[in-house]
């Protein structure tokens, strides 16, 4: 919606192909393990995303596949696999489903500005692999993602589409679910703060305004900053830089420092929103 001429989308299919082929190769060499299964688990979600890029799919159909993917990711996770077999904590399991599908959708929502999600996901996935020491299966994916950024940077020549953004989100959260404990997982989620807080606050503000949150809009902070005249590459660099700082903090200084920086980045976002973006209410009136 921020472009004025047609741009090919669906380029994220390359992430799926590389990750899945790599997983099957490692499975044939080393046997099945959780890390190798994550890309394979995410195939149905990627497929429905690709069909959505081509033809358009109903939101409820897409959400069904997100829930299905979430169940599989939980089943093969280190943190929550026991929840699937424990009916006594079904409510907690449902909350985990909602949390995972929310992250998948939030990352998808943020894929509306050149280079933003491709850059942030490269940092988040690579730092998660580094912290969990599980990178061998994802080197080819990270290489393709790094190359994709050069084509996706402003002015973009290709978009990753839903097939790319939902697949990368599923991959990222699947890796985070392999954390040794909840504190480690929380720290890895904090690395994605810029890409999660922007859509979260946008959804909450739209609910308060009694808007249809499934209707297309330009109310995210990154969109309103661009409408205000700030260049796309500047905005993308800001989100990527904050994500990089959070990743470095989690790698070298731990959870407390990352939580502090995450809080400061949210405060910075609120300041930038008030100071430099087109007001939320002003654009909201036109919906």
């Amino acid at each position: 919606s921020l472009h004025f001429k047609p741009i090919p989308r669906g380029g994220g299919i390359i992430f799926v192909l590389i990750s899945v082929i790599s997983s099957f190769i490692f499975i044939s060499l080393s046997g099945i393990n959780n890390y190798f299964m994550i890309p394979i688990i995410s195939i149905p979600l990627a497929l429905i995303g690709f069909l959505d890029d081509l033809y358009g799919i109903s939101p409820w159909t897409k959400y069904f596949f997100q829930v299905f993917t979430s169940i599989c990711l939980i089943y093969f996770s280190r943190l929550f696999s026991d929840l699937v077999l424990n009916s006594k904590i079904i409510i907690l399991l449902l909350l985990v489903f909602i949390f995972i599908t929310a992250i998948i959708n939030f990352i998808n929502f943020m894929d509306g500005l050149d280079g933003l999600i491709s850059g942030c996901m490269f940092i988040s996935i690579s730092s998660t692999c580094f912290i969990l020491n599980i990178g061998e299966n994802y080197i080819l994916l990270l290489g393709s993602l790094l190359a994709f950024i050069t084509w996706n940077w402003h002015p973009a020549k290709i978009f990753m589409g839903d097939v790319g953004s939902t697949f990368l989100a599923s991959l990222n959260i699947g890796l985070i679910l392999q954390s040794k404990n909840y504190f480690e997982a929380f720290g890895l989620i904090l690395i994605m703060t810029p890409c999660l807080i922007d859509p979260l606050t946008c959804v909450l503000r739209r609910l308060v305004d009694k808007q249809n949150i499934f209707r297309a809009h330009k109310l995210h902070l990154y969109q309103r900053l661009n409408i205000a005249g700030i260049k796309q590459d500047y905005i993308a660099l800001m989100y990527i830089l904050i994500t990089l700082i959070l990743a470095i903090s989690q790698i070298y200084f731990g959870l407390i420092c990352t939580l502090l920086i995450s809080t400061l980045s949210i405060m910075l976002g609120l300041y930038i929103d008030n100071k430099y973006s087109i007001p939320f209410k002003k654009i909201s009136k036109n919906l």
Side-chain angles (χ1 to χ4, degrees):
S1 64
L2 297 179
H3 292 79
F4 299 96
K5 60 180 181 180
I7 307 290
R9 61 180 180 175
I13 190 69
I14 190 63
F15 307 145
V16 183
L17 295 175
I18 286 177
S19 300
V20 171
I21 292 172
S22 178
S23 288
F24 279 122
I25 291 173
F26 276 96
I27 287 173
S28 66
L29 294 174
S30 308
I32 295 176
N33 70 36
N34 290 1
Y35 310 131
F36 302 155
M37 287 301 298
I38 294 171
I40 298 172
I41 288 169
S42 305
I43 290 175
L45 183 62
L47 178 60
I48 203 69
F50 189 62
L51 292 175
D52 188 45
D53 290 329
L54 289 176
Y55 308 112
I57 301 292
S58 117
W60 289 111
T61 301
K62 291 189 288 185
Y63 194 73
F64 170 81
F65 279 89
Q66 291 171 10
V67 171
F68 174 77
T69 302
S70 301
I71 294 172
C72 295
L73 289 175
I74 291 171
Y75 183 80
F76 283 94
S77 73
R78 293 179 64 179
L79 285 179
F80 298 114
S81 58
D82 58 326
L83 296 185
V84 178
L85 303 175
N86 192 337
S87 60
K88 295 180 180 178
I89 45 179
I90 188 66
I91 295 179
L92 179 58
L93 183 60
L94 290 173
L95 291 175
V96 175
F97 287 156
I98 293 171
F99 181 73
I100 294 175
T101 56
I103 290 180
I104 292 172
N105 281 292
F106 286 173
I107 296 301
N108 186 35
F109 293 162
M110 293 297 291
D111 186 32
L113 188 118
D114 298 349
L116 194 157
I117 279 300
S118 53
C120 290
M121 283 294 97
F122 175 80
I123 294 171
S124 183
I125 293 174
S126 59
S127 58
T128 298
C129 288
F130 179 81
I131 291 171
L132 299 181
N133 193 26
I134 54 175
E136 69 276 2
N137 187 41
Y138 296 94
I139 292 175
L140 292 178
L141 167 67
L142 293 170
S144 68
L145 185 50
L146 190 60
F148 182 84
I149 293 173
T150 64
W151 290 86
N152 188 231
W153 198 255
H154 186 71
K157 300 175 183 64
I158 191 170
F159 296 146
M160 69 174 68
D162 278 18
V163 59
S165 59
T166 56
F167 181 78
L168 290 177
S170 175
L171 219 64
N172 200 7
I173 192 65
L175 290 170
I176 291 173
L177 292 176
Q178 305 306 319
S179 300
K180 294 184 291 292
N181 54 63
Y182 296 111
F183 295 106
E184 184 175 63
F186 183 51
L188 294 174
I189 291 171
L190 288 177
I191 293 174
M192 296 190 288
T193 296
C195 295
L196 299 182
I197 295 300
D198 186 343
L200 175 61
T201 54
C202 183
V203 167
L204 293 176
R205 292 172 82 170
R206 296 189 75 197
L207 286 173
V208 170
D209 284 356
K210 298 180 179 179
Q211 296 180 19
N212 180 2
I213 62 172
F214 298 104
R215 184 179 177 185
H217 64 90
K218 296 183 180 179
L219 293 171
H220 291 294
L221 175 58
Y222 75 86
Q223 293 171 317
R224 292 185 287 111
L225 287 171
N226 186 240
I227 295 171
I230 301 177
K231 295 181 179 179
Q232 290 197 40
D233 45 359
Y234 291 175
I235 300 170
L237 280 172
M238 177 181 68
Y239 280 78
I240 292 170
L241 180 59
I242 294 174
T243 303
L244 178 60
I245 292 172
L246 287 163
I248 293 173
S249 171
Q250 182 62 20
I251 291 171
Y252 292 104
F253 303 105
L255 177 60
I256 300 301
C257 183
T258 307
L259 181 59
L260 175 61
I261 295 175
S262 175
T263 304
L264 292 174
S265 70
I266 294 172
M267 295 172 63
L268 175 63
L270 292 173
Y271 172 78
I272 292 174
D273 190 344
N274 292 325
K275 185 75 174 179
Y276 298 105
S277 75
I278 297 292
F280 183 93
K281 290 288 186 182
K282 184 175 181 179
I283 299 179
S284 180
K285 289 179 181 178
N286 299 322
L287 293 178

